Amino acid sequence: MSAPYVLVLFYSRHGATRALAESIALGIEQSGINAQIRTVPDAETSNLADSEGTLYVTQDDLRECSGLALGSPTRFGHMASALSAFIETTTSEWLSGSLIDKPATLFTSSSSLHGGQESTLLSMALPLIHQGMLLVGVPYNVAELHSTTRGGTPYGASQVSQNSHRLSQDEQRIAVAQGKRLGTLAQRLSSR
């Protein structure tokens, strides 16, 4: 049996959502549990990884995780179709109940300040609720939620790229705090 881990599953075309995934993974690791970063392909492929070397997710990666961080760029207020396509293949997890009571959190990026971040986060929550997962947001004791002028919401970490894939200091701190909270909860819930 492998060591417990939290799956950080994302889709990123230009790197902004990837930067958030890496910060969330850092927070997860700081909590004392392993983070496993995976992505989804744009289309059917026989490759095992993307051009950056990130492995593509498998059903086993999802089924065996102790928690999930799910991230996507905002596409008209909704998750990217590549990530949605993978989510639509999780019927066997739903039927088996393999994700019930596991914690999950969400993150997104958009190119503009009013680009639909919160609606994207909420749309990503719907399939996780159907899976019986426990949603974990960002509480307001994360001080950067009060000072950010770009990304970051209580629904989940976010980034406003505005032609830069670099996270602001507030965006990064919110993502790390979110990952740390998810990792801590994953450990507590999996030790039951």
Side-chain angles (χ1 to χ4, degrees), residues 28-87:
I28 291 166
E29 297 272 342
Q30 287 176 0
S31 78
I33 190 170
N34 293 325
Q36 186 179 87
I37 300 176
R38 297 289 186 264
T39 191
V40 295
D42 278 318
E44 261 189 58
T45 181
S46 60
N47 295 334
L48 298 176
D50 69 5
S51 61
E52 301 283 327
T54 303
L55 293 175
Y56 290 130
V57 69
T58 67
Q59 300 302 130
D60 286 341
D61 292 331
L62 181 61
R63 190 177 309 107
E64 296 170 10
C65 72
S66 296
L68 172 67
L70 186 65
S72 172
T74 295
R75 295 289 185 259
F76 301 104
H78 193 263
M79 76 178 100
S81 60
L83 187 60
S84 183
F86 174 76
I87 296 297

Side-chain angles (χ1 to χ4, degrees), residues 122-186:
L122 290 170
S123 74
M124 290 192 307
L126 297 176
L128 304 184
I129 292 168
H130 279 268
Q131 291 282 4
M133 299 191 86
L134 306 172
L135 294 180
V136 177
V138 181
Y140 274 100
N141 69 345
V142 176
E144 290 77 13
L145 279 180
H146 300 281
S147 61
T148 185
T149 59
R150 288 178 40 181
T153 79
Y155 303 104
S158 62
Q159 189 226 18
V160 178
S161 63
Q162 295 175 330
N163 299 320
S164 171
H165 307 305
R166 296 189 63 197
L167 302 177
S168 72
Q169 195 172 51
D170 285 344
E171 290 168 337
Q172 183 176 28
R173 287 181 178 161
I174 291 167
V176 169
Q178 182 177 3
K180 198 170 190 176
R181 183 170 190 231
L182 177 64
T184 299
L185 289 169

